[in-house]
Amino acid sequence: MAVDTSMNVAIKAASYNMVLQIVFRFGTFFMNAILLRYISREILGIVNVRLTLLYTTILFISREPFRKACLSRSENANKSKSNEKGTINLIWICMVVGFVSSFCLSLLWIYCFEQPSVSLIPQYKRCTILFAFSCLHELLIEPLWIYGQRFSFITLKVVLEGVFVTLRCVLSVILVIFVPNLGLYAFGIAFVISSLVYVALYYGYFWWYIKSSFKEEDKILPFTNFKELFPDFTTPCDLHYRNLVLSFYKQSLLKQFLTEGERYIMTVFSILSFAEQGVYDVVNNLGSLAARFIFMPIEESYYTYFSQVLMRGKNAKEHSVEQLNKAIISLCIVLKFVSLIGLIIVVFGYSYSFLLLDLYGGKILSAGEGPTLLKTYCVYVLIIAINGITECFMFAVMSKEQINKYNYKMMIFSVAFLVASLMLTKYFGSLGFILANCLNMFLRIIESVFFIKRFFKDSSRNPLVSIIPTKGVMLSLLLSFIFTVASEGFVGSASNPIYQLVHVVVGGVCLVMVAAAIYLTEHEFILFVTNLLQQKKNKTE
């Protein structure tokens, strides 16, 4: 099975992004382990839930619609110089959106929502402003980020974002440990300094690249002067991309609410105390490790891939056979991959949640509802995996009109999530947030599955079938579940390290059994991976 060049780029981007997410999440993983020993649970809840929610909300609503629109391929998108200027002008509008959203949301966070204890109120207000400023700094790189994605500056993105995240984590830990009197300020200062360094590195690289002595034919970017990256007020914004931005804007706001829904509910309705939010967030971070460093990079890279291979708003008959084959093969492979990873996480996560929480946070996490939260979250990870890929394909090929129609459905999903969260948390506590998220992701999967079936209805192959593993893999997963659950009984009844070691060994043997079943029965998937590795080997020789 041949691997086309554009798919190679998508896989390379996903692989590099995966490495970045591993560094980021494991850095956060160990940082939280350290911080739990130096800060109170109330501060942990304020930073990890309240202030981080402000940070992600500002960035999402300010840049996400612009990124999705300007990375889309369209036959109407002109490639002229004036069009590039119009695109640059449009991208810079995200700064205006960022200023407005930062100002409005900061006021909400400071004056409208539940306040922390009296001793932390002054720090909380000033830190809210610091977090908002760090968002504005990051928005300065949007033209560079979008054109970097367009022209496959993969290594640049991975390296600079890795430096950014690592610097932020290290500064936070250093300030908390060695300047304990700073309190919340330590996190605000770390966010501001790291964002400034991030912006400086991005602009430094692009200035060097454009000004360098490369031959004109070797240059990839459509710019000859560094000033062309800044807005030109004599040129109107690109009309095609502007309309796409407006369409994506409604959908992005709703998607952000569904993605961070439990944090919004915690913030607006004050269902949990800051201390409870801190503990929930630690468990949530542990449970989302796989979703963050595996599935999100894949979704991001394959959204770009599908956007480039298929024309937005066109049905299957309006594409060439080659384009459809590329889309079908890539969708089959990536669905197979995420479903296998998701099922492995469900099977092994059920039996190893208690051990992981006990080793990471001690009895604070493992004695309460922590293991139940993490086990349920593993099921949620599987649902996220399927939804991420099916939805990214749908958004990559939807027309503007279809996106507008889907926005109304997203509103229904949002209301369903809100109602389910309020009802389920009343009876199940923080577990209700996970159950409500599962419900909403499942509804979104149903919608995207129907879209994919309609899109490929005239094709001889249904990519959605790839979600289901072979019988051999399913049998190996079932046996692994039985063996690891039995092994966990020993760990649950004794904290002796010998029992824990035996439990880990049993899990390792079962994991090898599952890997062997995949290798022996998932022939198309293994053939694709083998061909990909062979191509990389040939390039290095």
Side-chain angles (χ1 to χ4, degrees), residues 30 48 62 84 127 168 184 186 196 250 272 291 317 362 367 371 382 445 500:
F30 290 112
N48 284 12
S62 301
E84 296 294 351
C127 273
R168 188 171 68 190
L184 281 174
L196 287 173
K250 303 172 187 177
L272 304 176
K317 292 182 179 179
L382 173 61
I445 287 175
Q500 296 176 344

Side-chain angles (χ1 to χ4, degrees), residues 367-378:
E369 63 176 355
T372 302
L373 286 175
L374 194 53
K375 290 176 181 180
T376 309
Y377 206 100
C378 289

Side-chain angles (χ1 to χ4, degrees), residues 257-517:
F257 175 76
L258 293 175
T259 302
E260 300 281 4
E262 69 273 12
R263 286 186 169 89
Y264 287 116
I265 292 174
M266 289 179 191
T267 299
V268 175
F269 296 100
S270 303
I271 294 176
L272 304 176
S273 67
F274 282 115
E276 291 171 329
Q277 292 177 28
V279 173
Y280 172 80
D281 187 72
V282 172
V283 175
N284 184 61
N285 280 335
L286 289 174
S288 64
L289 282 174
R292 298 291 183 179
F293 74 72
I294 297 179
F295 301 131
M296 281 188 63
I298 293 175
E299 178 184 347
E300 179 181 302
S301 298
Y302 272 88
Y303 175 82
T304 303
Y305 173 76
F306 291 131
S307 298
Q308 299 300 316
V309 170
L310 300 174
M311 289 287 187
R312 180 177 296 280
K314 304 294 184 182
N315 59 40
K317 292 182 179 179
E318 296 177 279
H319 290 87
S320 67
V321 175
E322 181 183 3
Q323 288 175 315
L324 285 180
N325 286 338
K326 286 181 180 180
I328 290 174
I329 292 172
S330 58
L331 186 56
C332 286
I333 295 299
V334 73
L335 281 175
K336 177 67 68 177
F337 177 76
V338 298
S339 65
L340 289 174
I341 296 297
L343 287 170
I344 289 172
I345 289 172
V346 171
V347 169
F348 290 91
Y350 185 88
S351 302
Y352 289 89
S353 294
F354 173 84
L355 178 60
L356 176 60
L357 292 176
D358 195 56
L359 293 175
Y360 181 63
K363 298 300 180 184
I364 294 178
L365 298 178
S366 63
E369 63 176 355
T372 302
L373 286 175
L374 194 53
K375 290 176 181 180
T376 309
Y377 206 100
C378 289
V379 178
Y380 179 51
V381 167
L382 173 61
I383 299 175
I384 288 175
I386 305 300
N387 175 74
I389 299 303
T390 56
E391 201 168 67
C392 94
F393 178 88
M394 179 176 67
F395 288 146
V397 300
M398 268 184 167
S399 66
K400 183 170 70 71
E401 292 74 19
Q402 288 174 318
I403 293 173
N404 289 333
K405 289 180 181 179
Y406 186 72
N407 289 335
Y408 293 105
K409 296 179 182 179
M410 291 284 280
M411 292 178 63
I412 297 174
F413 297 158
S414 300
V415 173
F417 172 78
L418 177 61
V419 173
S421 296
L422 293 175
M423 293 180 61
L424 292 173
T425 51
K426 181 179 180 180
Y427 295 102
F428 300 103
S430 53
L431 180 63
F433 286 122
I434 303 176
L435 297 176
N437 273 312
C438 289
L439 173 63
N440 275 274
M441 285 293 176
F442 186 71
L443 293 175
R444 288 163 63 176
I445 287 175
I446 293 175
E447 183 64 28
S448 55
V449 162
F450 280 139
F451 179 88
I452 293 172
K453 289 185 68 175
R454 289 194 300 269
F455 188 86
F456 292 109
K457 65 180 180 180
D458 296 322
S459 302
S460 59
R461 184 175 181 183
N462 181 10
L464 297 171
V465 177
S466 301
I467 296 175
I468 304 173
T470 60
K471 293 180 181 179
V473 173
M474 293 297 289
L475 178 61
S476 66
L477 288 170
L478 177 61
L479 292 175
S480 297
F481 180 79
I482 295 172
F483 293 150
T484 54
V485 168
S487 175
E488 186 186 22
F490 293 100
V491 178
S493 60
S495 58
N496 191 312
I498 300 298
Y499 288 94
Q500 296 176 344
L501 180 60
V502 170
H503 187 41
V504 171
V505 170
V506 171
V509 172
C510 291
L511 188 59
V512 171
M513 177 178 64
V514 173

Side-chain angles (χ1 to χ4, degrees), residues 24-136:
F24 169 54
R25 284 294 156 180
F26 274 99
T28 306
F29 179 85
F30 290 112
M31 184 183 71
N32 279 335
I34 296 172
L35 292 177
L36 283 171
R37 292 159 175 79
Y38 288 93
I39 64 176
S40 66
R41 290 196 289 179
E42 184 181 17
I43 290 180
L44 186 66
I46 294 172
V47 174
N48 284 12
V49 178
R50 178 67 64 83
L51 294 179
T52 300
L53 180 63
L54 172 67
Y55 172 82
T56 57
T57 302
I58 293 173
L59 288 181
F60 195 93
I61 65 176
S62 301
R63 71 188 184 189
E64 188 70 12
F66 294 90
R67 287 185 172 185
K68 283 189 175 296
C70 294
L71 286 174
S72 300
R73 178 187 178 190
S74 172
E75 61 181 1
N76 298 322
N78 189 6
K79 300 298 181 182
S80 67
K81 197 73 174 178
S82 61
N83 182 257
E84 296 294 351
K85 291 182 179 179
T87 303
I88 288 290
N89 289 343
L90 178 69
I91 296 172
W92 275 104
I93 293 179
C94 73
M95 281 299 302
V96 179
V97 179
F99 274 110
V100 174
S101 59
S102 296
F103 178 77
C104 297
L105 292 176
S106 295
L107 291 179
L108 282 177
W109 256 246
I110 293 173
Y111 296 107
C112 298
F113 298 144
E114 179 190 7
Q115 299 292 296
S117 58
V118 176
S119 61
L120 290 176
I121 286 180
Q123 292 185 350
Y124 169 72
K125 292 181 178 179
R126 296 186 182 104
C127 273
T128 300
I129 297 174
L130 290 176
F131 272 69
F133 267 118
S134 69
C135 293
L136 294 178

